[in-house]
Amino acid sequence: MRCGPPRCLRERVTSWVCPPQSCPAVKAERLGVAAVSIDGFECAGHPGEDDIPGLVLIPAADALTVPVIASGGFCDGRGLAAALMLGADGVNMGTRFLCSAEAPVAEAVKRRIVEATELDTDLIFRELRNTARVARNSVSETVVRILADGGTFPDIQQLVSGARGRRVFEDGDLEAGIWSVGLSQGLVRDIAPAGDLVERIVNEAYDVITRVTGLFADSTRV
């Protein structure tokens, strides 16, 4: 199973977590990137240091002419419809498809995502200006506490190692290390085949956009 875009496209896609008109996204477009991913504060992993949500970041991407992919907080057709209305050309749904039947991670991880709410994440590395959103567990809470008490990266290095994080995904030991998940886990209700998810998401987006468009069917511009 191939995860992510093909290499020829992957090498020409860039991702930013700051307003496009005030960061290197515009320069990246001039250098020839094929698309830009706009990562809102809701995303898993590194959301940047300015805590700006996608609702603000995505419309700001009108400074770009290459396709814009909205990332962070999207997991269903309502989110897809909202992203399109905000000006995006598509969406990333990492957390949603991490919880698909085909995702090559332990079933325990998928079940935890279904059970969790949008409140069950931690922001770690804040003091290091390298913020990351991860699933809340005993390890993430320990990292937050050590850094809040004045600790430095060497004090937490072993806790946040990639080797420990891989054990979560491979073995299903949810307390083995830190692992990334977005706020959208609060909207994930099931583990389903990826194809079914795509069909469901597209159909829901179509229904939402049709309903909203209908609200203006008999109206004229003011």
Side-chain angles (χ1 to χ4, degrees):
M1 174 180 175
R2 182 198 294 271
C3 294
R7 182 176 179 181
C8 61
L9 177 59
R10 187 168 64 243
E11 291 175 348
R12 297 182 58 218
V13 176
T14 188
S15 175
W16 301 106
V17 292
C18 52
Q21 65 268 49
S22 64
C23 81
V26 173
K27 180 178 180 181
E29 179 182 357
R30 290 198 298 267
L31 292 174
V33 299
V36 172
S37 172
I38 302 296
D39 296 359
F41 184 60
E42 306 91 338
C43 72
H46 295 282
E49 303 305 315
D50 297 318
D51 300 357
I52 303 175
L55 192 62
V56 173
L57 282 179
I58 298 164
D62 60 4
L64 303 171
T65 60
V66 295
V68 170
I69 304 166
S71 307
F74 301 102
C75 82
D76 57 22
R78 295 169 298 176
L80 172 57
L84 295 175
M85 293 293 185
L86 289 171
D89 297 284
V91 293
N92 278 322
M93 294 187 178
T95 297
R96 171 63 273 191
F97 283 90
L98 183 63
C99 205
S100 65
E102 295 89 343
V105 300
E107 287 298 309
V109 172
K110 301 176 186 182
R111 289 195 299 271
R112 173 61 63 87
I113 292 174
V114 172
E115 296 166 357
T117 76
E118 64 276 9
L119 300 177
D120 296 317
T121 70
D122 275 324
L123 292 170
I124 62 174
F125 305 151
R126 292 292 255 181
E127 293 81 359
L128 305 179
R129 300 288 295 172
N130 189 32
T131 300
R133 185 181 301 282
V134 300
R136 177 170 296 152
N137 62 12
S138 60
V139 181
S140 69
E141 291 177 330
T142 299
V143 170
V144 169
R145 184 176 66 253
I146 290 173
L147 292 178
D149 290 341
T152 60
F153 184 72
D155 299 317
I156 60 169
Q157 186 171 1
Q158 290 300 112
L159 292 172
V160 301
S161 72
R164 292 186 60 156
R166 282 194 298 274
R167 285 172 50 200
V168 176
F169 291 119
E170 293 174 359
D171 303 334
D173 182 353
L174 300 174
E175 300 296 323
I178 61 169
W179 52 287
S180 296
V181 71
L183 292 181
S184 64
Q185 68 176 356
L187 299 174
V188 175
R189 310 296 188 211
D190 63 356
I191 303 168
D196 291 354
L197 289 175
V198 171
E199 183 174 341
R200 180 198 307 174
I201 290 164
V202 171
N203 286 339
E204 184 179 25
Y206 178 87
D207 290 342
V208 169
I209 292 171
T210 300
R211 176 176 59 81
V212 173
T213 303
L215 297 175
F216 298 91
D218 299 321
S219 303
T220 58
R221 292 173 64 95
V222 177

